[in-house]
Amino acid sequence: MRILLVAGAYNSLTQRVHAELRDRRHAVAVEVTPHGSAVRAAVQRHRPDLVVAPLLKAVVPRDVWTACTCLIVHPGPVGDRGPSSLDWAIDEDVDAWGVTVLQAAEEMDAGDVWATVGFPVPRVAKSDLYRNEVSDAAIEAVLLAVDRFASGNYVPRPQSGLRQTVAARTRPYFGQAMRRISWHDDSTETVLRKLRGADSQPGVRDELLGGEWFLHGGHAEDALRGRPGELLATRAGAVCRATADGAVWIPEVRARRGPGLPRACKLPATLALADRLPSLPEIPAPLYPAEGHGTWSDIHYREEGPVGVLSFSFPGGAMSTGHCRRLLDAYRAACSRPTAVLVLGGSRDFLSNGIHLNVIEAAADPAAESWANINAMNDLVEAVLTTTDRLVVSAIGGNAAAGGVMLALAADEVWCRSGSVLNPHYRRMGLYGSEYWTYTLPRRVGAPMAKRLTEEARPVTAAGAQSMGLVDRVVNCGPQDFTAEVTRLAARLAALPTAQLRVVTKKAESERRASTKPLAAYRAEELAHMLRTFTAPEAPYHALRRAFVRKQDAPADFGSEGAVAARPADC
Ligand code: COA
């Protein structure tokens, strides 16, 4: 079928719907627009059989949906209506929710139902929930709806005729007034719920150290205590703040700017607050948290028999110089342990999206920070590539992009969850790329496919990635089960009689390769490209990065090779 996707942004869900429909051989065009009128023009241009809107805030004009079937993906069960469904679901602490594919109609979210799929709601941040459980349910519902439409004989059901788990109602926009934290009155549980519902956007507006900030992310702390609202400590860029009955870690904040000023970057809290932060103890995160230990750490290590699992979770998958160095230290510590298989990753949500563009943008010298960050990332990747005494498995629980995908490719085996979307390219940021991709990517998928992936800059589904050899195994499970499933599979790998032989062969093979072309040569060639880009103020990278971190449209004309429009092309 000819399907037109319309979306307010080419976000992960739109990318996944796009890639999944393409995998099923539909001819898919994408129109990224916040305006209903542009939908009309796109429909006239593409003349699709079906319009699907995975993420649309604009209203589809009446003349469009009367002329062509338009399916709207609503992140709520049948009966739920309004623009803040997930915010309300988290606020009400529901344990199950749904996604419904509705036909566009006069009243928003009130159209007939083509498909609806439920999902469990773990206590994770809204954006994590969206990229994982919501995304899985949305794909199931969209594919079902598309098949039903294609059958030609399915009649969508009016909402009134379906069993509803929530009363039919339109709930209002979930504004900052409802998110407000009262540090003196709110318990840790309440504070965490408010932070979860606002993460990653819009954050919770708050006053802190004489300024106005949006707080992003939140994790419980089980030991530190203090006067409610007081800052108690720092850890890995986060600040710990006392609640009415405990304390929470807040990893990132964003300054509130006045109207007309460009949007501030979301940054690690200690970096954003650096000029006003009082002297606070830096309490290092425990790398090996004890069972039941309730504090927060962005890097964890645990062992189960011959398997070591080094997991990490950085907001937005962005890895600053500091993140890379801390993870490298943890990786070296993990390699000093007597394990046969080391799993890198293995937690839900993003593995990595490469260098930290916000921290780079906020640096006094973004070129120098870009350089430091890519070198720190390369050091980490090199450590993985040169691990020859055990098998290393990268386990991608959610999405990964750019250098984050290449980090995964450094391992002996790459496993990813069935719902992952991978973007193994750098072009949308105007970068040549590094992380030894010129060594790993062609070796996995062949030179022609490597060229296609990096030049076309398209998202790839987990199944697509497996069929081209980018990943070795697709782990078919829900986001919450990924860690346990990966640990089980890694134990099975460690127990294989061939495991030890593989380690011996891998060592010999990497020595043979190094004698033909040492890893350092790949790194030097890639970094020469990167340095040219970083130090050329007119290089598209700088304007693209600025637009990305401020959430502005990418500049329309980048004026040089190496960058492509952020808006996806037809295909
Ligand atoms: N640096 C800083 N922040 C990043 C980031 C990076 N490399 N990659 C993603 N993020 C942030 C986003 O700004 C977003 O922040 P928000 O939640 O506050 O809005 C969050 O992480 C999630 O990303 P988002 O773009 O909403 O997710 P997505 O799943 O829709 O899209 C990508 C994922 C990877 C396609 C997109 O984020 C992207 O292009 N990232 C840049 C990748 C890159 O070029 N890295 C540098 C080269 S190594």
Side-chain angles (χ1 to χ4, degrees):
M1 274 197 304
R2 290 173 61 80
I3 300 177
L4 172 64
L5 293 187
V6 289
Y10 195 52
N11 74 338
S12 56
L13 179 60
T14 310
Q15 293 184 9
R16 187 167 170 204
V17 173
H18 185 190
E20 298 268 5
L21 290 172
R22 230 179 33 208
D23 284 358
R24 285 162 182 77
R25 306 256 168 254
H26 293 294
V28 189
V30 186
E31 186 75 22
V32 177
T33 174
H35 306 295
S37 55
V39 178
R40 179 185 295 119
V43 169
Q44 280 160 2
R45 221 174 29 252
H46 297 289
R47 307 222 159 275
D49 302 310
L50 180 66
V51 175
V52 178
L55 166 89
L56 191 65
K57 299 242 156 77
V59 176
V60 179
R62 171 173 240 285
D63 57 301
V64 174
W65 56 258
T66 47
C68 177
T69 303
C70 297
L71 304 184
I72 310 287
V73 178
H74 175 72
V78 175
D80 174 75
R81 295 172 198 174
S84 301
S85 292
L86 294 180
D87 307 66
W88 283 105
I90 291 173
D91 182 63
E92 288 170 4
D93 213 9
V94 302
D95 52 20
W97 200 237
V99 171
T100 307
V101 176
L102 303 156
Q103 182 147 340
E106 203 71 67
E107 191 188 337
M108 222 166 169
D109 303 331
D112 292 351
V113 174
W114 281 85
T116 183
V117 173
F119 59 85
V121 181
R123 288 183 166 177
V124 296
K126 180 177 61 181
S127 59
D128 177 344
L129 185 70
Y130 180 80
R131 283 186 292 265
N132 293 285
E133 278 82 2
V134 173
S135 168
D136 283 1
I139 288 299
E140 196 182 330
V142 165
L143 295 178
L144 186 59
V146 167
D147 284 351
R148 285 175 170 168
F149 178 80
S151 75
N153 54 21
Y154 186 83
V155 181
R157 311 283 151 90
Q159 296 191 16
S160 55
L162 286 165
R163 198 181 73 82
Q164 299 188 355
T165 47
V166 298
R169 68 210 149 152
T170 301
R171 289 192 287 189
Y173 175 71
F174 203 96
Q176 282 295 340
M178 290 138 121
R179 301 186 192 277
R180 189 158 184 82
I181 293 173
S182 166
W183 293 95
H184 284 269
D185 304 318
D186 286 350
S187 65
T188 296
E189 198 182 323
T190 304
V191 171
L192 288 176
R193 195 174 61 244
K194 289 180 176 175
L195 290 169
R196 271 202 314 276
D199 189 30
S200 62
Q201 294 297 340
V204 173
R205 200 164 83 204
D206 197 21
E207 292 82 42
L208 182 58
L209 303 174
E212 273 201 286
W213 304 87
F214 292 95
L215 312 181
H216 294 271
H219 307 274
E221 161 60 33
D222 65 352
L224 295 173
R225 296 291 177 263
R227 202 159 28 85
E230 186 188 11
L231 291 183
L232 307 174
T234 61
R235 168 180 293 166
V239 290
C240 184
R241 196 169 184 190
T243 63
D245 64 351
V248 295
W249 289 98
I250 300 165
E252 292 190 317
V253 304
R254 177 167 61 87
R256 180 165 186 246
R257 292 255 173 92
L261 289 171
R263 183 189 164 98
C265 275
K266 195 202 276 187
L267 289 171
T270 54
L271 180 60
L273 298 166
D275 62 348
R276 61 188 75 201
L277 206 58
S279 166
L280 293 170
E282 165 76 15
I283 303 185
L287 183 56
Y288 310 94
E291 203 64 49
H293 198 58
T295 193
W296 164 78
S297 169
D298 52 3
I299 303 176
H300 291 268
Y301 178 76
R302 74 189 159 78
E303 268 170 30
E304 277 191 28
V307 175
V309 182
L310 179 61
S311 22
F312 52 97
S313 175
F314 304 124
M319 292 174 63
S320 66
T321 308
H323 289 130
C324 295
R325 290 194 182 139
R326 285 196 294 112
L327 186 53
L328 176 58
D329 288 346
Y331 185 82
R332 288 193 176 127
C335 284
S336 71
R337 301 286 308 159
T339 54
V341 172
L342 175 57
V343 176
L344 183 63
S347 41
R348 55 175 290 142
D349 207 17
F350 285 128
L351 181 84
S352 165
N353 285 325
I355 56 177
H356 203 310
L357 300 166
N358 295 23
V359 170
I360 290 170
E361 185 62 24
D365 182 347
E369 184 51 37
S370 302
W371 181 248
N373 201 160
I374 197 67
N375 274 287
M377 195 73 185
N378 281 357
D379 292 344
L380 173 64
V381 177
E382 186 192 357
V384 180
L385 282 170
T386 54
T387 303
T388 49
D389 62 346
R390 70 199 74 204
L391 292 176
V392 183
V393 172
S394 294
I396 309 174
N399 302 338
V405 179
M406 307 311 169
L407 165 64
L409 300 191
D412 303 301
E413 291 200 14
V414 184
W415 300 350
C416 81
R417 198 179 77 76
S418 40
S420 299
V421 178
L422 307 181
N423 276 287
H425 51 77
Y426 300 82
R427 283 195 81 195
R428 293 191 192 287
M429 210 44 67
L431 289 170
Y432 178 80
S434 193
E435 290 101 357
Y436 298 86
W437 77 265
T438 53
Y439 174 72
T440 53
L441 188 63
R443 208 152 52 102
R444 284 204 151 256
V445 299
M449 181 56 90
K451 187 166 154 48
R452 242 185 98 177
L453 287 172
T454 49
E455 290 185 355
E456 289 181 2
R458 285 206 193 145
V460 182
T461 58
Q466 187 180 29
S467 67
M468 67 176 73
L470 188 66
V471 308
D472 303 287
R473 182 196 287 268
V474 172
V475 182
N476 222 320
C477 67
Q480 279 299 81
D481 301 328
F482 186 69
T483 307
E485 189 56 11
V486 160
T487 311
R488 189 184 68 77
L489 291 167
R492 234 169 58 184
L493 176 65
L496 287 179
T498 49
Q500 199 43 46
L501 180 63
R502 274 187 70 183
V503 175
V504 175
T505 318
K506 138 172 156 166
K507 189 166 189 303
E509 178 64 10
S510 72
E511 279 163 8
R512 191 192 62 75
R513 280 175 195 283
S515 67
T516 322
K517 178 171 174 178
L519 280 177
Y522 290 92
R523 178 171 177 150
E525 284 166 14
E526 292 170 0
L527 286 180
H529 285 275
M530 294 293 263
L531 188 61
R532 270 201 298 279
T533 301
F534 293 158
T535 52
E538 72 287 0
Y541 162 66
H542 301 285
L544 288 165
R545 185 192 66 235
R546 215 164 295 131
F548 179 82
V549 305
R550 294 191 179 144
K551 308 215 172 289
Q552 294 162 343
D553 283 345
D557 176 18
F558 309 132
S560 94
E561 61 167 10
V564 292
R567 180 171 295 201
D570 289 0
C571 57

